[in-house]
Amino acid sequence: MWQRLIYEFAIRAVSPVRCGANETEVVKTPDGKPVILGNSLGGALRAYLQQGGVRTEDIEKAMGGEVESAEEKKKFLPSRIYISDGMIENYSDGEKQGLPRQEGTAVNPVYGAAEPHQKYMLEYLPAGTTVNFKIESDVWAGAGKEHNDALQPAELEKLVATWANGFAGGQLLLGGQKSNGFGRFTLDSLQARVVFLDNSQALDRYIFGSREKPAMEDVPWQAMPQYPLVPQCAVTFTLQGVFPYGVYQAFPVTADAGAQAAGARREPLTGLLKKRDNKDNGKHKEGQEQAYYIPAASLKGVLRHEVLRLLGRMMSDTADQGCGKNLTDLFGGTGSPGKLTVHDIVVTGTPVAVNRDSRQTDLPIYIKIDRLTGSSYDSALKRQQEIQGTAVISLELAVKPADDGYLNYIFPLVYVLRRLGAGLIPLGGRTVAGLGQFLAPTVNIGAGEETWQIETGPELSTGNRRQLEMWWESFAGWCRQ
């Protein structure tokens, strides 16, 4: 007999989520509410199965797609499951204040400097956003063999339980900007309802509606069969340190009320962006430490530039194509997500203050100089907000140890992070004036139950030196390939 299985997922974002309608805004319904489209959800669910090594035949039987026929011609197999749009449940704050936006600046991977006039702004769904969506399908639950090609209840249950486990474990990501730490969820609930379609009366009740619909019930997905996915090996890299002299980026910011009340100058103010969500109105006590951030895309550009320089020294001039392939393998490219996820650098501190006289403390002001005459421009004062404080840099490397291991990729990342922690690679803008130097004592690495703390200074312990040599040999072999 035929049944309709209806599953309702409630997932909650634990990181920002970017489902873009264009380069700036997220997808919205005609009445202005954000939504994650069903085809976007379906693409993510399919990709999760494919990356986990689920057989193509099992995926196509439920989700359809282009398949090879006996005549060696491609044909399109329609999907047997319906995936609804993901509706945003807790959007009341967004309706009042608008969705948060993240600003960033593109970094040239060749020169390691910010691209001119390449600032961007991304609207996103904040962490804590709850998304509800349905997966429905007609399945054949009868004993006869006349519908053997139909989707069976056990087949759909196996898919649903696999997806539920992916959301619960934070492995199934949605939307864009995944390599910059976006799109991670957790599973709040999974419920199901079974509608029997074994006769015309039951079909009429389902189509035309009935007040006696079966109630939704919780699904014990942990105890249900799941597809054995290829395990992912997550290697984490963390630096905890300080910006002792201040760090700066040229984003327009608004001076706080305390500075304005003190009669601070009114030149245009630029600096780091504050870390906030929908519920943060930016109010704070004067002098209190706050959280700022350097966008992950900026850090990723610096990392890519430094790894490119390292690969260039390792490979011959005729190996440019291989160098680009290795870079794409690690950082991703067009049509390839890459293995590295970079998170925003969170800076906790206060703006640098300058004592100009006994009555006033102000932010740094720079005067623009004419390079030809050596004199200052009229009305060319630049006032900027430099942040002194602590910061955390974190990366994640996801690989399949059964296929390619992870040793190839560790050395170049440790090499760059050690240089960052030693203050040799400044971050942000105005680095020629001494800003952006970051100091961290160790690079902390975790891979499963194994952990390492690699010193950033010139003195290495004997064990860490041997470990770096082992990673180096693997990296050198990767380059020679």
Side-chain angles (χ1 to χ4, degrees), residues 158-187:
K158 193 172 183 179
L159 286 171
V160 168
T162 303
W163 289 326
N165 188 56
F167 282 122
Q171 301 299 319
L172 207 170
L173 309 183
L174 300 180
Q177 297 285 318
K178 297 184 184 72
S179 63
N180 292 330
F182 282 53
R184 200 176 299 274
F185 286 82
T186 188
L187 181 68

Side-chain angles (χ1 to χ4, degrees), residues 19-221:
C19 294
N22 51 44
E23 294 182 356
T24 301
E25 297 182 350
V26 303
V27 180
K28 296 183 178 70
T29 61
D31 58 354
K33 293 185 177 181
V35 64
I36 301 179
L37 296 179
N39 58 356
S40 178
L41 283 167
L45 297 177
R46 180 191 291 270
Y48 179 68
L49 298 176
Q50 291 173 333
Q51 294 167 3
V54 177
R55 292 193 318 160
T56 302
E57 295 82 355
D58 294 336
I59 299 174
E60 290 176 345
K61 183 173 183 179
M63 307 188 76
E66 285 189 345
V67 298
E68 297 287 347
S69 65
E71 296 81 13
E72 297 184 353
K73 294 181 180 180
K74 288 186 177 180
K75 67 176 182 179
F76 182 78
L77 184 67
S79 175
R80 289 185 169 92
I81 65 174
Y82 161 76
I83 302 173
S84 73
D85 291 339
M87 306 309 297
I88 310 303
E89 181 178 284
N90 48 346
Y91 185 57
S92 56
D93 287 336
E95 291 175 324
K96 297 176 183 178
Q97 303 178 22
L99 292 173
R101 293 171 179 260
Q102 182 182 80
E103 296 184 58
T105 180
V107 175
N108 188 302
V110 177
Y111 304 108
E115 294 276 17
H117 311 297
Q118 288 297 311
K119 293 188 183 302
Y120 59 86
M121 183 178 293
L122 298 176
E123 191 177 55
Y124 62 89
L125 303 175
T129 299
T130 301
V131 180
N132 296 324
F133 69 94
K134 294 181 181 180
I135 294 179
E136 303 182 24
S137 180
D138 291 338
V139 297
W140 175 251
K145 297 183 179 181
E146 65 271 24
H147 298 292
N148 277 349
D149 59 339
L151 194 63
Q152 307 295 312
E155 293 173 321
L156 182 58
E157 290 171 358
K158 193 172 183 179
L159 286 171
V160 168
T162 303
W163 289 326
N165 188 56
F167 282 122
Q171 301 299 319
L172 207 170
L173 309 183
L174 300 180
Q177 297 285 318
K178 297 184 184 72
S179 63
N180 292 330
F182 282 53
R184 200 176 299 274
F185 286 82
T186 188
L187 181 68
D188 277 351
S189 66
L190 174 60
Q191 295 185 313
R193 176 169 58 222
V194 181
V195 179
F196 296 95
L197 304 175
D198 51 348
N199 55 60
S200 59
Q201 291 82 5
L203 187 61
D204 287 343
R205 285 195 300 270
Y206 175 72
I207 294 176
F208 298 108
S210 171
R211 296 180 180 178
E212 300 178 358
K213 291 182 179 179
M216 300 295 293
E217 297 182 355
D218 291 335
V219 177
W221 59 268

Side-chain angles (χ1 to χ4, degrees), residues 260-309:
Q260 293 178 354
R265 294 173 176 86
R266 297 302 180 91
E267 290 82 14
L269 177 62
T270 57
L272 261 62
L273 297 168
K274 293 180 182 178
K275 195 77 173 175
R276 61 178 63 181
D277 57 24
N278 269 0
K279 298 179 181 180
D280 181 13
N281 58 13
K283 295 181 179 179
H284 63 281
K285 296 180 180 179
E286 187 176 355
Q288 182 181 12
E289 287 193 339
Q290 296 183 82
Y292 301 82
Y293 72 92
I294 298 175
S298 297
L299 174 60
K300 188 176 180 181
V302 172
L303 295 173
R304 189 183 181 103
H305 166 68
E306 292 295 327
V307 172
L308 177 62
R309 291 180 60 193

Side-chain angles (χ1 to χ4, degrees), residues 6 17 33 68 83 106 147 168 203 231 247 251 325 338 349 360 460:
I6 304 172
V17 180
K33 293 185 177 181
E68 297 287 347
I83 302 173
H147 298 292
L203 187 61
V247 61
F251 292 107
K325 180 181 180 301
Q360 179 180 320
L460 284 169

Side-chain angles (χ1 to χ4, degrees), residues 445-456:
I445 307 170
E449 297 181 356
E450 293 186 282
T451 59
W452 300 272
Q453 290 185 325
I454 309 296
E455 299 89 347
T456 59

